[in-house]
Amino acid sequence: MEGEGSMNDSKQLFYLKLAFLATEPPNCILSLAIEAGGGSITPQVQNFIVKECLGETMKETTANNRAYIRGILQKIISFVEASSVSVVDCLYEELAHYLTTGKEDLQGINHRICREISFLSSDLNGKDCSNSVNLVASLLCSSNMLEGDTGCSLWPSSLFLSEFILSYPEIFTNKSCFEVGSGVGLVGIALNHVGASKVTLTDGDLSSLENMKANLELNKLCLNVASDITCPSDQKVECRHLAWELATKAELKDQQPDIVLGADIIYNPECIPHLVRVFSNLLEEKSFGEVKKEAPVAYIATIIRNLDTFNYFLNVACESRLSVVDITSNTNVPNLLPYMCTYDRSSVHLLKVSVSE
Ligand SMILES: C[S@@+](CC[C@H](N)C(=O)[O-])C[C@H]1O[C@@H](n2cnc3c(N)ncnc32)[C@H](O)[C@@H]1O
């Protein structure tokens, strides 16, 4: 029993650290710290926060990251002071450091917050994920939702699609993959990790594209940024401008991907006919000389916020001879982010799209 207790404690501490690196909200960090201490934030947990959480944060943190750390430290110290446990000196020292250094300079990169999203390893047997990390993606995200429209924020659908990719790498390994509405670029990082032969990430919003480029560089992915999808490129990972309304049949036809992907892209009724046309063109069966390629498929992760909008998407897809199958219930996608309390995966649907026979 003792062994089991200490195993749980180390798992709680591990989750606390990953949640901290993912910049989960202060209340979530506080709950994890209390859980790890068995009901109070013990000196052991406080020392862990200083050594393992603060010690691991990126050296080049943005002003928003520093403000985040300051907020967490203040919350933890207030909680401990109000309890019967004493505050360890190094926690006060860290707070003093974050109160006196790096006065906010909210320019450029400092508009963003850097989130380190750690996907745990798992087998597909429905077991808990292990305590080992499979992939860490560092992502600059908007901290205020105003910048880059929606494309500089991280959405549950792209977390779910990334969990799917990491859990079924064989679907994507050695495949040419093309994503629409890529936002911060997380899905591309997951595709690169499982060995896709080519990863093309696209977005219609230019500031999202700039942020995506910074994220790919941050994750040390070789990339090419072209102003539009017609420029040829031999880079394995690239990000390109693609506005669904403006994409022509000819430029889409040239892409010839094996797999098309999209996360949280079905929400604006005005865009739906254009989005479906983009999918139709990308999924068109290609042949190379005499050799026929396997028919491409698409995977879309989506939250159904408005049923009318979703049904409209299904109708337009059907009129365009696209088959859309909801594969969520018969696909086991393990939770690789159990420490993220802001990630509600229960409402995400996974759709498989192909050209109807
Ligand atoms: C809700 S965000 C999802 C971002 C990312 N896939 C995720 O799940 O984290 C929608 C994305 O689609 C892009 N988008 C929306 N309308 C678009 C359009 N008409 N053409 C191209 N991209 C578009 C936005 O810029 C944004 O990056």
Side-chain angles (χ1 to χ4, degrees):
M1 280 308 272
E2 199 182 298
E4 201 176 293
S6 59
M7 217 165 78
N8 277 340
D9 291 352
S10 68
K11 190 168 185 165
Q12 292 307 332
L13 288 172
F14 182 55
Y15 285 3
L16 170 63
K17 175 175 166 177
L18 299 187
F20 183 87
L21 297 177
T23 69
E24 286 287 283
N27 279 342
C28 166
I29 303 294
L30 193 67
S31 316
L32 286 169
I34 296 168
E35 237 174 281
S40 64
I41 307 183
T42 59
Q44 184 213 356
V45 173
Q46 295 174 46
N47 281 319
F48 178 86
I49 291 169
V50 171
K51 286 206 184 71
E52 298 293 325
C53 301
L54 298 178
E56 288 274 323
T57 46
M58 285 184 24
K59 299 290 167 263
E60 293 295 316
T61 47
T62 68
N64 279 318
N65 283 87
R66 288 192 293 276
Y68 171 78
I69 294 172
R70 214 163 36 234
I72 298 277
L73 289 172
Q74 282 167 331
K75 201 151 192 129
I76 286 177
I77 288 174
S78 310
F79 180 88
V80 180
E81 281 176 342
S83 72
S84 53
V85 179
S86 39
V87 180
V88 298
D89 286 347
C90 56
L91 211 56
Y92 283 127
E93 284 158 18
E94 286 292 340
L95 178 60
H97 168 76
Y98 281 96
L99 283 172
T100 52
T101 56
K103 281 291 158 217
E104 312 329 358
D105 156 30
L106 291 174
Q107 296 291 316
I109 201 178
N110 277 325
H111 268 307
R112 317 276 163 77
I113 188 153
C114 185
R115 308 186 64 186
E116 280 190 27
I117 309 296
S118 308
F119 291 88
L120 301 189
S121 320
S122 160
D123 57 24
L124 287 174
N125 301 327
K127 294 243 168 69
D128 257 7
C129 1
S130 69
N131 274 6
S132 66
V133 173
N134 178 14
L135 168 68
V136 180
S138 302
L139 299 169
L140 289 166
C141 300
S142 167
S143 51
N144 60 19
M145 278 286 289
L146 294 175
E147 189 191 8
D149 196 7
T150 56
C152 290
S153 299
L154 183 57
W155 298 88
S157 299
S158 67
L159 293 171
F160 193 82
L161 192 54
S162 301
E163 287 178 319
F164 173 62
I165 293 165
L166 295 171
S167 305
Y168 295 90
E170 65 284 358
I171 299 179
F172 305 93
T173 307
N174 295 325
K175 294 284 165 54
S176 154
C177 299
F178 188 103
E179 194 195 10
V180 299
S182 305
V184 294
L186 173 64
V187 165
I189 295 169
L191 288 168
N192 179 65
H193 186 74
V194 300
S197 56
K198 172 112 191 163
V199 178
T200 306
L201 305 180
T202 68
D203 208 283
D205 177 69
L206 290 175
S207 61
S208 300
L209 209 59
E210 266 309 300
N211 188 58
M212 192 195 309
K213 174 182 173 250
N215 280 333
L216 297 185
E217 279 166 357
L218 195 58
N219 290 274
K220 312 224 166 0
L221 270 64
C222 55
L223 81 153
N224 176 58
V225 183
S227 54
D228 64 55
I229 61 164
T230 53
C231 305
S233 154
D234 54 8
Q235 297 286 334
K236 182 186 165 192
V237 182
E238 52 185 11
C239 49
R240 290 167 174 253
H241 183 238
L242 177 74
W244 310 330
E245 296 78 357
L246 305 177
T248 68
K249 185 169 181 161
E251 62 191 357
L252 292 168
K253 197 179 79 183
D254 283 347
Q255 300 304 311
Q256 311 215 338
D258 299 310
I259 300 178
V260 185
L261 301 108
D264 209 345
I265 47 171
I266 307 168
Y267 57 91
N268 181 351
E270 281 173 24
C271 291
I272 283 178
H274 305 289
L275 179 65
V276 170
R277 187 177 54 79
V278 167
F279 270 86
S280 258
N281 286 324
L282 288 169
L283 290 174
E284 223 169 71
E285 214 167 326
K286 315 284 168 6
S287 56
F288 294 112
E290 294 299 295
V291 189
K292 215 172 177 203
K293 253 181 107 183
E294 206 179 309
V297 290
Y299 294 98
I300 300 179
T302 192
I303 289 183
I304 305 174
R305 296 192 183 88
N306 180 315
L307 195 56
D308 288 342
T309 305
F310 185 65
N311 284 335
Y312 178 47
F313 166 76
L314 292 180
N315 286 337
V316 179
C318 180
E319 281 164 15
S320 305
R321 289 186 46 252
L322 290 182
S323 138
V324 181
V325 181
D326 189 330
I327 59 167
T328 326
S329 57
N330 52 19
T331 309
N332 174 20
V333 182
N335 184 357
L336 307 182
L337 303 162
Y339 59 89
M340 272 184 92
C341 52
T342 51
Y343 171 37
D344 175 13
R345 64 204 302 278
S346 64
S347 51
V348 183
H349 292 254
L350 185 62
L351 312 174
K352 185 171 181 180
V353 184
S354 54
V355 174
S356 306
E357 295 292 306

